[in-house]
Amino acid sequence: MPEAYHIPVLGAQVLSTLLVELHGTYLDGTLGGGGHAQLFLNKLKKDAVYIGMDRDSEAIAYCRQRLSRFKNIVYHQGTFDEFETALRIAGVRVLDGLFLDLGVSGHQIDDGNRGFAYRPGLILDMRMNQNDSQTVRDILNGYDESELIRVFKQYGEERYARNIARRIVKERQNHVLTRSDDLLDIINRSVPGKTVIKSYARIFQALRIELNNELNLLQKTLIRSVPYLKPGGRVGIISYHSGEDRIVKSFFREQENPCTCPPDIPYCSCGKKPVMRRLKPHLIVPDDEEVRQNPRSRSAKYRVGEKI
Ligand SMILES: C[S@@+](CC[C@H](N)C(=O)[O-])C[C@H]1O[C@@H](n2cnc3c(N)ncnc32)[C@H](O)[C@@H]1O
C-alpha cells in the first residue's frame, strides 16, 4: 500500500549524498508519500530530527500513518518557503540537510478529483493545497490572452502557445471552462495531430506551475536556506522540469562562485567568497533500470551542494 502513493526517485543516490550525520537534523520540504522520508528515518538515530513539510494536507495525513512508528519526525503543513516557521516550531536552528523532491506525487496525479492529469472526465483543479482559493479554472477563465501565452511559453515551452491561448479566449465566451475535456478539446483543435500528446503534457504542466507558484517558491527557499546549513551540511534537489533545474543549477553555481568581478581582471576585488561547493557529478539522473521500473522518474535531475 505505501508504494502505491508514490515511488521515491533516486532513493539510494539521495541517501548516499545527503545523509551526512546520523544524529543530525533534516528538512524534507516535499514529504509526499514519505518514500524518501522512510529511507532517511530507517537510518537516522533516535536523537536525529526529521522535519517533513508538504503543502498538501492529504500527504501529511498519509505520512502520519505510514511513518507512525518513527518518533523523530515532526510534521508541518505548508509551502516549503515557510520552512523557518517549521524550524522554529520544532526548536531547530541549524540543518545538516535540506531535501526537495519537486513537483507532484504519483498519488496527486492518479487521484482524478485533484485534476492534475490530462485525461478526460476530470474537473480542472490542480491545487496542491486543496484549501487554496484559486484553481486552474480561474486561470483559464480569467487570464487575458497575453498572460496565457506567457504561462504556456514560460512554463511549458509550448510552440503553439498562441493558438491555444487564442482558442481558450474564444471558447470561454460560449461557456465557462471547467472540465479537462474542455481543455483537451481546445488543444486538439489548436495543434497538429502528431504532437498533441506532448502539448497536453506541456500545457497541463505549465498551468500547474503557474497556479502553485512553483518556481518562485523554489528560488526563495534555496536562497533563504543557506544560513541555516551547518558547515558540511547539504542541499539536494530533484527537479522534473527545465525551469526548476535552471534555478537549482544557477543557485549552486552562484553559491560556489559568487565573485562578481569581470572575468578579465587578474584578482578578485569584490571580496565575495564561495559559500557552497557542488558535489560531483554535478548532475545525477535515474539509470535505465529505474526508468523501466518507474517511468515517472524519467525526467528527474538531481543536484547536490555542500556548505563550506
Ligand atoms: C514528488 S512528490 C514528493 C515525493 C516524496 N519524496 C516521496 O518519496 O514520497 C512532491 C510533493 O511535494 C509537495 N510540494 C510541491 N511543492 C511544494 C511546496 N512549494 N511546498 C510544500 N510542498 C510542496 C507536493 O504536494 C507533493 O506531495
Side-chain angles (χ1 to χ4, degrees), residues 6 29-36 54-55 78-80 101 103-104 108 128:
H6 182 85
T30 54
L31 197 55
H36 288 100
D54 204 294
R55 66 202 293 182
T79 48
F80 46 60
D101 178 19
V104 276
Q108 287 167 324
M128 285 189 184

Side-chain angles (χ1 to χ4, degrees), residues 42-153:
N42 279 337
K43 299 272 181 204
L44 287 169
K45 300 293 180 196
K46 287 207 171 79
D47 59 346
V49 178
Y50 195 88
I51 301 169
M53 296 185 73
D54 204 294
R55 66 202 293 182
D56 184 346
S57 58
E58 271 184 16
I60 298 281
Y62 179 83
C63 287
R64 278 187 192 280
Q65 281 204 347
R66 175 180 181 179
L67 305 172
S68 60
R69 69 177 188 282
F70 298 104
K71 303 303 171 212
N72 49 352
I73 174 163
V74 180
Y75 298 95
H76 188 97
Q77 191 202 341
T79 48
F80 46 60
D81 59 307
E82 299 163 10
F83 74 90
E84 282 145 311
T85 308
L87 297 191
R88 202 173 49 247
I89 293 171
V92 162
R93 287 168 186 272
V94 282
L95 291 169
D96 293 280
L98 163 66
F99 174 56
L100 301 177
D101 178 19
L102 300 167
V104 276
S105 65
H107 173 77
Q108 287 167 324
I109 297 172
D110 294 338
D111 180 351
N113 296 323
R114 307 294 299 265
F116 285 108
Y118 49 90
R119 54 174 199 268
L122 308 183
I123 295 287
L124 290 162
D125 188 317
M126 299 201 201
R127 287 171 298 171
M128 285 189 184
N129 175 350
Q130 287 169 294
N131 294 323
D132 287 347
S133 54
Q134 256 212 347
T135 71
V136 89
R137 299 189 294 281
D138 297 299
I139 295 180
L140 285 171
N141 294 289
Y143 275 26
D144 67 25
E145 191 171 322
S146 63
E147 285 176 303
L148 289 169
I149 295 170
R150 189 231 349 128
V151 171
F152 298 155
K153 284 193 167 169

Side-chain angles (χ1 to χ4, degrees), residues 157-172:
E157 293 171 8
E158 172 56 49
R159 209 172 137 196
Y160 300 98
R162 281 178 190 284
N163 290 2
I164 298 168
R166 196 178 313 128
R167 204 172 286 272
I168 287 172
V169 171
K170 196 166 160 216
E171 202 60 34
R172 73 190 187 197

